[in-house]
Structure formats: structure tokens, C-alpha cells
Amino acid sequence: MAKIKGLKCRECGRPYPAEPLHVCEFCFGPLEVEYDYASLQKTVTRKRIEAGPPSMWRYRDLLPVAEERPVGSHCGMTPLIRARNLGDALGAKEVYVKNDAVCHPTLSFKDRVVAVAVTKAMEFGFTVVACASTGNLANSVAAHAAEARLKSFVFIPADLEQGKIVGTLIYDPVLVAVDGNYDEVNRLCSEVADKYGWAFVNINIRPYYAEGSKSFGYEIVEQLGWRTPRHIVVPAAGGSLVTKIWKGLKEFHGLGLIPDCATRMHVAQAAGSSPIVTAIRNRSETIRPVRPNTICKSLAIGNPADGYYAYKAVEESQGYAADASDEEIIDGMALLAATEGIFTETAGGVTVAAAKRLLETGVIPRDESIVLSITGNGLKTQEVVGGVLKPPLSIKPTLKSFDAVIAERPGLGADVVSRASSTRRG
Ligand SMILES: *Cc1c(COP(=O)(O)O)cnc(C)c1O
């Protein structure tokens, strides 16, 4: 593949061939895909991208795959919407939601990374793909393995939400529920990967896998009319997504596709699992591992693999960070649903709550453009809101029964003339 030079250690810069490798043998730094930007500069243009398919593969020049027919051919190009109602509620002038909770085959941004990883695993000739997951990755690896006709082994913490378990099992992988938290699952998987030689999407295929996240940032820029927003708020688990969005923006700038790269990257985490937010607040690039305790299981990584690089992306872009309590997470989910009709999972609640905090504390000025990264779908984490939502009104199938219920509850608004449309959004 001419566009790729190979892999390179992020720490010492040592080059490696483009193989299923992920750590530097000399300094143990993580490996990253190294592109031939000089040649890409001659070929990649806005026009060429715009002429591509309506999926993340329109950016294939900047993704590390050779396959003409990738797995997950319809992933990406999710909606970026101008969220006026949410903006009003938050007191911010220009708010956008990048909604990765819809359009993707398994309804989370993980389909971007897995599409690249499984395509790559096929290129390398693997017959088994595997992962350690907090939930969404499990869904996505099982689905894409099915599409690619590969066998899959999926390792999860045993206490995941039902939606994530069922949403994995339906694709018939080998699902291994580990009695431990994600960090323990991940440690186990490093040993399994060494012993069994599978394509572990977030271990030995990680350098390729992680590149898929760049497309989230590319799309924001293209969908804004080749403009960068002033702020992007990103939920972080291992810290890869935020790191790669930032990398994607810098690449676009380096290739001359956008005139500047003045976006500030902000990290959002759950208060019960916030090692990256803590490091950013303390201005300390050392990430101190924690033991997660939060309803947001998809972000519950206590020892984030890319925590340091997430820290660096925030520092370089002059962004900041905020965390959200369990209660704020639920409020954030409810606010997004009530204002924009978007049902996000707990991670989206974290993002909305963090944005609210960053606005309240003045870190994000109210008149600057903000993109909220909504990365997963609420139908997968129904447990967390089930208990706090108003129950339905139960009635008999008669008008009398309905009238009686309505009469008991004057606050419902049934007496308002129903054709009044003056309050509809304009
Ligand atoms: C995995 C995940 C993230 C964050 O991913 P990292 O790249 O590990 O930081 C964000 N949101 C959701 C819903 C996820 O599943």
C-alpha cells in the first residue's frame, strides 16, 4: 500500500513493517500507522472526498486498508445536526450533535474502528477476531465478524447491560463473560492474545483499529462545510477517540483541506471513572488508574491505554475536561431526549452533562460553536432510566376510562386546544 510507510513507535520513533504489531520492542511505546503524507498531499482533495461513497470509506485514502470491498461498507456518515433546542436549554448559541447512535449497524461509534480492524484482520489472513470490551465493541466485533465470515471471541465484564449482551449474542460469537471489571478483562486478553494468536482488534490490531476513529472528526469538518468547530466534547474510555479526532483534524490541516485547526478538544468522563479528567485538572500527564464505579459501563476503564495521548490532545488544543455524576448522566440523557428527540446511552449523558458544566464554568464561551459527540444508543442501556421515567397511564379500552384518568391529572394538558401550533420549532 503506497499510502502507508509502515508502523512507527509513538515514543522513540522506531519504524516497523505494517504487520499485526502494537508495541515497540525497545521502549514498549505504542505503535501507530505512518502515512506517506507527501504523496497523499498530491492526491487527496475536498472534491475527491466528496465524490466518494456516503460512508466513512470516502476517507479511505487516510485509513490503513487496501481492500477494495471493506467490511462495514455502510459505516459512518452519521448525521451532524444543528441542535437549536438543546442550545437554548444549555444557553449556548451554536450547538451541534454528531449522532453516532444511529445509522451504524450496531448503533455506536465502535463500528468505525471495528470496520477498519476486521477489514485489516482479513487482509492479514486471520480466521479469528477477538476483543476485550465494555459493551459496544462486543456488539460491533460480533456483527462485523459475522459479515466477514470470521469466527469471533468476545470478552466482557459479566455485569454488562442486557442490551449489550443480547446485542452481541444475536451474531453468535463465542461470548466470554468474565467475573471482573474491564481492566481485568483486558489484562486477561493480553495473555489470551499472546497464546492464541488471534486478531484482537484492540490489542495486536490496535494501531489500525484506532485509525477508524479519525473518520468521526473528518465527518464533522466536512459536514460543517469544511469548517472546524471551536469546541468538540468527547466521551473517553481508553482515550483513543478523542486522540484520533484531534489527529484527524491536524491531518486535514496538514493536507491543506482546511485553513486552520483551532478546535479545542474537551474530555468527558463519568465521575466514577475519570482518570483522564483528573489528570487534566491536575495538569499532570501521569494518569493514575482508578477502580471504576459508575452507571456508565461503556466508559468504565480505570486504566486507559491512551490516557496519556488524550491528555496531550487536550493540552495541545487548549481544551479542558469535565466529569458527570450518575445523576447528571441520567439528566443529560433526559435533556437530549427532551430537546432533540435523541435517545443516547449513558456515554451520551456524560457528554451532555460535561458540556453543560464547561459552559457553566465559562471554559466554553456561550457564543462559540460546540459539537457534542453522541457515541452510543440509549436502547442498549435502558436499565439506568427505567426506574426514573414516568410510568404510562394504564386504562381500559374505553373513552370513559381515559376521561377518568385525564380528570385525575389536571396537569397533563389535555384541555389545551390541540391544533395550536405556535410553539412548534421554527
Ligand atoms: C468506547 C466508547 C467510547 C470511548 O472510546 P475510547 O476510544 O476508548 O475513549 C465512547 N462512547 C462509547 C459509547 C463507547 O462505547
Side-chain angles (χ1 to χ4, degrees):
M1 235 181 309
K3 66 188 174 188
I4 289 176
K5 290 182 172 170
L7 298 175
K8 187 174 149 189
C9 174
R10 288 199 72 157
E11 291 307 313
C12 72
R14 227 180 217 92
Y16 288 82
E19 283 179 8
L21 301 168
H22 67 116
V23 274
C24 177
E25 286 170 29
F26 294 88
C27 74
F28 302 108
L31 303 184
E32 185 173 42
V33 177
E34 165 94 327
Y35 296 86
D36 182 355
Y37 289 116
S39 91
L40 285 171
Q41 204 151 20
K42 291 183 206 127
T43 52
V44 182
T45 60
R46 289 184 185 181
K47 216 170 166 174
R48 180 175 157 91
I49 290 170
E50 285 164 352
S55 72
M56 62 183 273
W57 301 106
R58 64 209 276 110
Y59 311 105
R60 64 178 309 134
D61 290 336
L62 298 164
L63 296 172
V65 296
E67 289 270 343
E68 272 310 307
R69 287 180 54 81
V71 181
S73 59
H74 45 295
C75 292
M77 247 0 201
T78 58
L80 178 84
I81 61 151
R82 177 77 192 264
R84 290 180 201 276
N85 298 342
L86 179 62
D88 287 348
L90 293 175
K93 204 169 124 207
E94 194 181 350
V95 176
Y96 301 86
V97 166
K98 175 62 173 166
N99 190 3
D100 258 25
V102 293
C103 299
H104 280 154
T106 70
L107 307 178
S108 89
F109 103 90
K110 290 295 198 301
D111 288 329
R112 297 176 184 277
V113 279
V114 173
V116 173
V118 174
T119 301
K120 205 65 199 169
M122 291 181 78
E123 278 178 30
F124 286 136
F126 284 100
T127 54
V128 178
V129 292
C131 70
S133 172
T134 58
N136 285 313
L137 189 61
N139 296 176
S140 189
V141 165
H144 287 88
E147 185 193 337
R149 298 201 204 189
L150 299 178
K151 200 167 174 49
S152 61
F153 280 78
V154 173
F155 295 77
I156 54 168
D159 71 347
L160 283 194
E161 301 93 340
Q162 265 308 302
K164 301 244 165 112
I165 292 176
V166 174
T168 303
L169 285 174
I170 190 66
Y171 305 108
D172 197 27
V174 179
L175 181 62
V176 185
V178 180
D179 178 18
N181 65 25
Y182 174 81
D183 297 289
E184 291 165 317
V185 174
N186 193 41
R187 204 173 316 124
L188 165 67
C189 283
S190 296
E191 295 176 52
V192 176
D194 275 349
K195 177 156 180 193
Y196 288 84
W198 300 329
F200 258 93
V201 304
N202 53 344
I203 302 177
N204 53 340
I205 306 295
R206 190 172 180 90
Y208 309 95
Y209 154 96
E211 289 290 291
S213 285
K214 294 189 306 185
S215 63
F216 190 94
Y218 296 152
E219 286 175 22
I220 291 173
V221 172
E222 188 184 347
Q223 289 170 320
L224 284 174
W226 298 101
R227 219 162 44 88
T228 49
R230 194 76 181 89
H231 304 270
I232 304 181
V233 183
V234 188
S240 178
L241 176 61
V242 65
T243 307
K244 293 293 177 170
I245 294 173
W246 179 234
K247 178 181 178 182
L249 299 189
K250 285 193 298 184
E251 283 179 334
F252 265 16
H253 184 228
L255 292 168
L257 299 175
I258 47 174
D260 60 58
C261 191
T263 300
R264 295 167 62 190
M265 305 295 301
H266 304 280
V267 165
Q269 293 196 295
S273 181
S274 57
I276 302 174
V277 172
T278 303
I280 293 165
R281 272 200 199 123
N282 296 343
R283 304 208 173 278
S284 145
E285 56 183 47
T286 313
I287 310 287
R288 291 196 188 288
V290 299
R291 215 180 157 76
N293 178 17
T294 167
I295 57 167
C296 185
K297 296 178 198 275
S298 58
L299 301 182
I301 297 186
N303 189 10
D306 288 301
Y308 169 76
Y309 299 106
Y311 176 91
K312 284 289 170 194
V314 166
E315 185 180 56
E316 223 178 286
S317 69
Q318 297 171 33
Y320 199 55
D323 59 7
S325 67
D326 286 354
E327 204 183 333
E328 289 170 321
I329 292 170
I330 291 169
D331 289 348
M333 293 168 72
L335 182 64
L336 186 63
T339 53
E340 299 297 336
I342 293 173
F343 186 13
T344 183
E345 70 148 76
T346 47
V350 170
T351 300
V352 173
K356 185 163 182 270
R357 177 82 56 77
L358 292 166
L359 283 159
E360 281 164 3
T361 50
V363 173
I364 298 183
R366 295 183 181 278
D367 60 345
E368 295 185 350
S369 55
I370 313 166
V371 173
L372 304 191
S373 309
I374 298 303
T375 49
N377 192 296
L379 290 171
K380 295 197 210 181
T381 62
Q382 295 184 43
E383 296 86 335
V384 303
V385 286
V388 300
L389 301 178
K390 277 183 293 205
L393 303 177
S394 296
I395 63 167
K396 297 267 180 314
T398 62
L399 184 57
K400 198 172 140 214
S401 177
F402 178 67
D403 287 343
V405 161
I406 292 298
E408 277 167 26
R409 296 173 178 74
L412 291 176
D415 51 340
V416 175
V417 178
S418 65
R419 294 212 173 174
S421 59
S422 57
T423 56
R424 298 250 315 264
R425 59 193 289 182

